[in-house]
């Protein structure tokens, strides 16, 4: 594992964008696993600039996102589909039909999970998976639990996650209590993993995840078993 500490969110974002751009340059038809949350916003802005400058071509790239809130469709401005369209896909030359986000409005989220896993498998898996980390150690929406879940599945969000994500909604009561998330299999089978985290409040959970025991109670700790993980952290 490579743990890179930088002194600003701006540098973290540029480094992360450089690593993703390098992946696309090396393999133009790669599969990128993408994340939401506030952490990747700067990375996505840098990727948009690289694309506008003609330095990276996303036209052959396929993307698969980690997760989506249950019950929110892509027209809802709090959905992760909307987030991705607004913050990245509309700003780069990726083909919209090659961008995938789990469908949080599917009648049956279990079948949607199976469909999503088959889709990822049919693409040959993920070349580079971008991750953030929740304050409770969640990756995607894999919350602390007694076991790791392999497949894309429905989850009940942890109260601390609802609390943390309430900043994006009008009120805490508007935060969905359920979501659908890629499971650990697709994440761990990604050839490379890039985890970005910023803010002093992420320091403790990073320490637990990467220096503590591997346990489903700290979902990100499973990444200790992956052979190609880069973490970029900025306290500011
Ligand atoms: C959400 C997302 C995660 C993300 C996490 C951290 O819960 N489902 O994928 O990593 O938020 O978000 P932030 O980067 O805003 O701290």
């Amino acid at each position: 594992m490579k743990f890179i500490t930088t002194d600003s969110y701006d540098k973290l974002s540029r480094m992360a964008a450089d690593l993703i751009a390098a992946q696309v340059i090396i393999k133009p038809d790669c599969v990128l696993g993408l994340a939401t949350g506030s952490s990747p916003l700067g990375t996505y802005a840098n990727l948009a600039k690289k694309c506008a400058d003609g330095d990276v071509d996303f036209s052959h790239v396929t993307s698969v996102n980690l997760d989506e809130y249950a019950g929110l469709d892509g027209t809802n401005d709090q959905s992760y589909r909307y987030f991705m369209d607004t913050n990245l896909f509309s700003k780069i030359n990726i083909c919209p039909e090659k961008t995938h986000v789990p469908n949080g409005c599917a009648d049956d989220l279990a079948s949607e999970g199976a469909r999503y896993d088959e889709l990822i498998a049919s693409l040959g898996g993920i070349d580079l998976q971008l991750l953030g980390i929740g304050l409770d150690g969640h990756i995607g929406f894999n919350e602390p639990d007694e076991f790791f879940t392999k497949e894309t599945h429905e989850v009940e969000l942890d109260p601390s996650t609802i609390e943390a994500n309430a900043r994006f909604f009008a009120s805490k009561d508007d935060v969905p209590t359920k979501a659908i998330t890629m499971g650990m299999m697709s994440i761990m089978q990604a050839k490379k993993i890039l985890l970005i985290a910023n803010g002093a409040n992420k320091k403790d959970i990073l320490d637990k995840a990467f220096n503590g025991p591997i346990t489903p109670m700290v979902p990100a700790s499973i990444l200790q078993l992956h052979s190609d993980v880069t973490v970029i952290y900025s306290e500011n």
Side-chain angles (χ1 to χ4, degrees):
M1 205 233 341
K2 298 168 204 79
F3 198 104
I4 301 167
T5 304
T6 66
D7 56 12
S8 73
Y9 176 67
D10 186 45
K11 276 191 202 159
L12 173 159
S13 302
R14 278 187 278 132
M15 267 184 220
D18 283 350
L19 292 175
I20 296 169
Q23 172 65 65
V24 177
I25 291 167
I26 289 165
K27 188 178 176 191
D29 62 348
C30 65
V31 177
L32 295 179
L34 297 176
T36 54
S38 54
S39 308
L41 284 171
T43 305
Y44 293 160
N46 278 278
L47 287 175
K49 181 169 186 316
K50 285 176 189 294
C51 186
D53 290 348
D55 292 335
V56 193
D57 174 12
F58 290 90
S59 62
H60 299 291
V61 168
T62 301
S63 70
V64 286
N65 259 78
L66 283 166
D67 48 12
E68 179 60 281
Y69 286 113
L72 301 193
D73 71 20
T75 60
N76 187 309
D77 62 6
Q78 299 301 340
S79 71
Y80 283 167
R81 161 54 78 178
Y82 188 96
F83 174 102
M84 291 308 300
D85 286 347
T86 309
N87 294 301
L88 185 65
F89 300 150
S90 62
K91 299 186 173 163
I92 60 174
N93 66 337
I94 195 166
C95 302
E97 61 276 15
K98 287 188 180 163
T99 67
H100 304 280
V101 179
N103 178 8
C105 288
D107 289 337
D108 177 5
L109 290 180
S111 313
E112 170 59 7
R115 181 197 71 82
Y116 206 67
D117 286 338
E118 278 161 29
L119 167 77
I120 294 169
S122 74
L123 294 168
I126 297 165
D127 289 293
L128 187 155
Q129 176 66 56
L130 177 66
L131 295 174
I133 184 169
L135 288 172
D136 61 1
H138 71 246
I139 48 177
F141 266 137
N142 290 278
E143 295 282 29
D145 206 336
E146 282 160 18
F147 46 83
F148 292 112
T149 302
K150 276 163 63 181
E151 295 86 11
T152 299
H153 60 288
E154 182 178 350
V155 282
E156 195 87 39
L157 297 179
D158 203 84
S160 70
T161 301
I162 292 174
E163 185 84 44
N165 290 356
R167 66 199 143 122
F168 301 114
F169 291 80
S171 82
K172 199 169 114 183
D173 293 341
D174 292 330
V175 186
T177 55
K178 291 181 178 171
I180 178 167
T181 183
M182 208 186 268
M184 292 307 191
M185 182 177 62
S186 299
I187 295 173
M188 287 300 283
Q189 285 178 349
K191 293 181 187 78
K192 292 181 201 142
I193 291 185
L194 171 59
L195 186 147
I196 55 176
N198 76 294
N201 62 344
K202 294 278 172 81
K203 212 172 184 167
D204 285 353
I205 194 63
L206 284 173
D207 187 41
K208 281 191 185 131
F210 293 103
N211 299 318
I214 298 167
T215 162
M217 293 311 290
V218 181
S221 64
I222 198 173
L223 299 173
Q224 292 181 41
L225 299 174
H226 194 283
S227 61
D228 192 345
V229 178
T230 302
V231 179
I232 310 180
Y233 173 63
S234 167
E235 194 171 317
N236 304 301

